[in-house]
């Protein structure tokens, strides 16, 4: 399910962090995310991990991700001792998990 504005277009990427008591932090990605949000995502993942590990990334409201965002997720997964859990079906838009061979990040 893509995030849309009132005119029906995809919303520019939004990154929201919440704390789930007893479960750690949840970083939710929404809309269309690209290189412009990579530094923000990197900072929010690091802050969430420092304050409330483990970290789960929710992609259920993501319309599309470019390879820069996938790279940030892969780097975070490799650098967090408990790893990074990525969940939620990616919207109908294209994504780079399979082509970059990081599909193992997706929780099944």
């Amino acid at each position: 399910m893509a995030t849309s504005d009132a005119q029906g277009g995809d919303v520019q990427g939004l990154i929201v962090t919440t704390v789930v008591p007893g479960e750690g932090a949840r970083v939710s990605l929404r809309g269309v995310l690209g290189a412009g949000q990579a530094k923000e995502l990197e900072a929010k993942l690091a802050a969430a991990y420092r304050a409330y590990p483990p970290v789960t990334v929710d992609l259920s409201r993501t319309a599309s991700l470019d390879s820069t965002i996938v790279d940030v997720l892969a780097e975070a997964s490799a650098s967090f001792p408990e790893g990074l859990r990525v969940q939620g079906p990616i919207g109908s838009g294209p994504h780079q998990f399979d082509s970059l061979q990081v599909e193992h990040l997706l929780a099944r």
Side-chain angles (χ1 to χ4, degrees):
M1 175 174 161
T3 304
S4 299
D5 62 16
Q7 290 78 34
D10 288 331
V11 173
Q12 185 63 26
L14 179 65
I15 304 167
V16 178
T17 303
T18 55
V19 176
V20 181
E23 294 182 27
R26 176 174 300 275
V27 178
S28 300
L29 307 183
R30 298 178 183 159
V32 177
L33 288 107
Q37 290 87 23
K39 291 290 183 194
E40 177 187 0
L41 176 59
E42 191 174 301
K44 286 189 176 186
L45 288 172
Y49 184 76
R50 280 191 308 272
Y52 303 102
V55 177
T56 299
V57 176
D58 179 4
L59 301 176
S60 63
R61 295 185 66 194
T62 302
S64 68
L65 306 171
D66 79 1
S67 61
T68 308
I69 297 298
V70 176
D71 287 345
V72 169
L73 295 174
E75 288 173 21
S77 179
S79 66
F80 295 172
E82 287 101 10
L84 179 75
R85 182 180 169 125
V86 180
Q87 65 181 188
I90 296 175
S92 59
H95 61 87
Q96 300 292 323
F97 278 91
D98 296 332
S99 64
L100 295 174
Q101 299 182 1
V102 291
E103 65 275 356
H104 64 279
L105 294 176
L106 293 171
R108 305 274 182 221

